[in-house]
Amino acid sequence: MAARRRFTNRKKKAAKAVETQRYDIKTLHEDREYGVYWYAWLWHIVRPVLIFLCSLLIVVGLVTTGYNKLYEKYLMPMAPDSTDYVDFQIEPGTSITGIAKKLVDENLLRNASVFKYMVQFQGLTNSISYGTYSLSPSMNVNGIIAELSSGSQTNERTITIIPGWTCEDIADYLLKEGIISSREDFLSMCNDVNRFVASSYALSEAQAEGSLQGRKYALEGYLAPDTYRIFRSANGEDVIRKLLSQNNSVIDDVFYSDSTQYYADEEGNYHEVERYQTTLTMNQTLVLASIVEKEAGKTSDYAKVAAVLHNRLNAGWRLESDPTATYLTGSESLIVSEDELYAVNNYNTYQMDGLPAGPICNPSKAAIEAALYPDLEYVNAGYMFYCTAEATSGELVFAKTKEEHQANVARYYDSWVEYERQRAEGSAE
């Protein structure tokens, strides 16, 4: 029994010795030298770093997604690709809240509260002054705040007078824009020759010719269409003087500058381009230009229309221009009524010889140039008629004989009727 116990003890000691020998530091190092366990210490270092980076990526992703959502909803420009600019006016005494609301109302800003808090946070409340600023829908909130606090405001505004507008059209526009308070007062000034005669070449010449009598508006034809910058304090008289001044510049460019043109022949020699030699005065040319402006839907037809009008005048024919028949009534119908055709007045060229008493609108520079230099090919070819083609095309068709003209009218007349019917239905709705 004792021997057996001794044998068992020896066996345990041997096993313990083997176990100790197998798992001491040296043997453990040898066992793991070529196994994955050799890198365990590195994993203890890398593992927390990887966990941190993954967590950081998740946080960054969540923050970026959240910011993008907030940016799209509150901070993003209304139209990032827009190249347009608008005049944004801040009236004296307007609060930051009022400015923010107006920015939203004019589609320049997405959220009024964000603008208000950002201005207050940046301490710019007292840096935004009244005046007019040039803003774009492509600006974000910070861009708008920077512009409004930059001191770039102006007390000017932009107005645009469209070619072909009459004095009455201009009065309606200025009234709508809040520049004038009385349409009647403005139109009264358009007949005040003594107030403006010194400011206009054309008006001065018309007065000297004695051709102002019988006109609806003495200044009709001399208020140059263009886009203008005017002071916000400007009144009707200021606007008229600015338009007359621009008309003087146009007259200088068209009538008094060197407009000689040349062409090169096959041998390289230059020759002067032959141009029409008008017998009309400057004032008469402006009257003709106003008819050209109203008759032609496209600038490419201006010189052709002018050629027909010159041919009719030279032949002693009446101009028979529809816009002259409708000038006093203000009608814009393609089909002139019988009452308008047969009305006897100082403008209806269906019932009078020569030119009307005065311009029937305010023509563009292009129309004036066409009236002075009509298409020489159409003049020489003897074109005497024109009419509108399809009503919505803006095209004109030209004819040399009355028979050709009547055929053109018959061809397109139904489209004119249909166009007027649709327009009447649209205005009734």
Side-chain angles (χ1 to χ4, degrees), residues 227-272:
T227 296
Y228 299 89
R229 296 288 297 179
I230 64 171
F231 288 111
R232 291 202 167 268
S233 59
N235 55 29
E237 180 175 349
D238 296 329
V239 172
I240 288 175
R241 292 192 183 279
K242 198 169 189 70
L243 271 55
L244 290 176
S245 177
Q246 176 61 18
N247 185 248
N248 289 340
S249 298
V250 171
I251 288 174
D252 284 338
D253 289 343
V254 175
F255 290 93
Y256 301 118
S257 64
D258 183 9
S259 58
T260 305
Q261 298 179 354
Y262 298 90
Y263 70 94
D265 59 22
E266 296 178 354
E267 298 177 354
N269 298 316
Y270 286 89
H271 304 273
E272 184 177 337

Side-chain angles (χ1 to χ4, degrees), residues 176-187:
K176 180 181 177 182
E177 293 295 311
I179 298 172
I180 61 174
S181 58
S182 171
R183 181 178 188 269
E184 292 70 25
D185 289 347
F186 180 84
L187 294 176

Side-chain angles (χ1 to χ4, degrees), residues 144-377:
I144 291 175
I145 292 174
E147 183 65 23
L148 296 183
S149 60
S150 66
S152 65
Q153 71 270 23
T154 173
N155 288 320
E156 294 183 337
R157 64 179 301 173
T158 301
I159 62 170
T160 299
I161 307 301
I162 304 298
W165 273 5
T166 64
C167 288
E168 293 182 354
D169 292 328
I170 295 174
D172 292 337
Y173 170 73
L174 296 179
L175 183 65
K176 180 181 177 182
E177 293 295 311
I179 298 172
I180 61 174
S181 58
S182 171
R183 181 178 188 269
E184 292 70 25
D185 289 347
F186 180 84
L187 294 176
S188 177
M189 281 192 289
C190 288
N191 270 323
D192 194 341
V193 176
N194 292 332
R195 184 186 298 193
F196 299 108
V197 67
S199 302
S200 171
Y201 303 157
L203 184 62
S204 178
E205 183 181 283
Q207 186 185 54
E209 289 180 357
S211 62
L212 293 178
Q213 290 78 15
R215 292 191 179 188
K216 186 176 183 181
Y217 299 109
L219 301 188
E220 191 81 271
Y222 312 141
L223 305 179
D226 210 329
T227 296
Y228 299 89
R229 296 288 297 179
I230 64 171
F231 288 111
R232 291 202 167 268
S233 59
N235 55 29
E237 180 175 349
D238 296 329
V239 172
I240 288 175
R241 292 192 183 279
K242 198 169 189 70
L243 271 55
L244 290 176
S245 177
Q246 176 61 18
N247 185 248
N248 289 340
S249 298
V250 171
I251 288 174
D252 284 338
D253 289 343
V254 175
F255 290 93
Y256 301 118
S257 64
D258 183 9
S259 58
T260 305
Q261 298 179 354
Y262 298 90
Y263 70 94
D265 59 22
E266 296 178 354
E267 298 177 354
N269 298 316
Y270 286 89
H271 304 273
E272 184 177 337
V273 174
E274 183 183 3
R275 307 187 77 172
Y276 184 80
Q277 299 299 313
T278 184
T279 59
L280 301 181
T281 66
M282 181 183 73
N283 181 64
Q284 290 171 330
T285 300
L286 293 177
V287 175
L288 193 71
S290 71
I291 301 175
V292 170
E293 188 74 64
K294 280 294 191 180
E295 289 279 22
K298 296 184 176 180
T299 55
S300 57
D301 283 335
Y302 281 4
K304 297 174 184 177
V305 170
V308 171
L309 297 176
H310 275 284
N311 283 344
R312 294 180 75 93
L313 287 173
N314 293 336
W317 292 16
R318 289 180 174 174
L319 293 182
E320 296 184 348
S321 165
D322 289 359
T324 66
T326 59
Y327 172 63
L328 295 181
T329 64
S331 171
E332 296 182 353
S333 174
L334 286 176
I335 303 173
V336 182
S337 69
E338 288 193 6
D339 288 342
E340 290 169 326
L341 285 174
Y342 291 106
V344 178
N345 56 57
N346 294 328
Y347 287 92
N348 186 6
T349 56
Y350 279 96
Q351 301 299 320
M352 63 181 295
D353 298 331
L355 295 165
I360 59 172
C361 72
N362 294 282
S364 62
K365 180 180 179 181
I368 298 172
E369 289 176 332
L372 183 61
Y373 301 115
D375 189 306
L376 201 57
E377 181 180 342

Side-chain angles (χ1 to χ4, degrees), residues 88-103 109 112-135 140-155:
F88 180 78
Q89 184 182 7
I90 300 177
E91 300 289 349
T94 306
S95 65
I96 295 299
T97 301
I99 294 171
K101 183 178 183 303
K102 187 175 181 181
L103 286 167
L109 196 66
S113 296
V114 170
F115 173 85
K116 177 182 175 182
Y117 294 142
M118 288 181 68
V119 169
Q120 293 173 341
F121 178 76
Q122 296 177 48
L124 297 174
T125 302
N126 295 324
S127 299
I128 298 178
S129 303
Y130 74 91
T132 302
Y133 298 81
S134 183
L135 301 181
N140 60 22
V141 180
N142 284 323
I144 291 175
I145 292 174
E147 183 65 23
L148 296 183
S149 60
S150 66
S152 65
Q153 71 270 23
T154 173
N155 288 320

Side-chain angles (χ1 to χ4, degrees), residues 44 217 380:
H44 286 295
Y217 299 109
N380 294 333

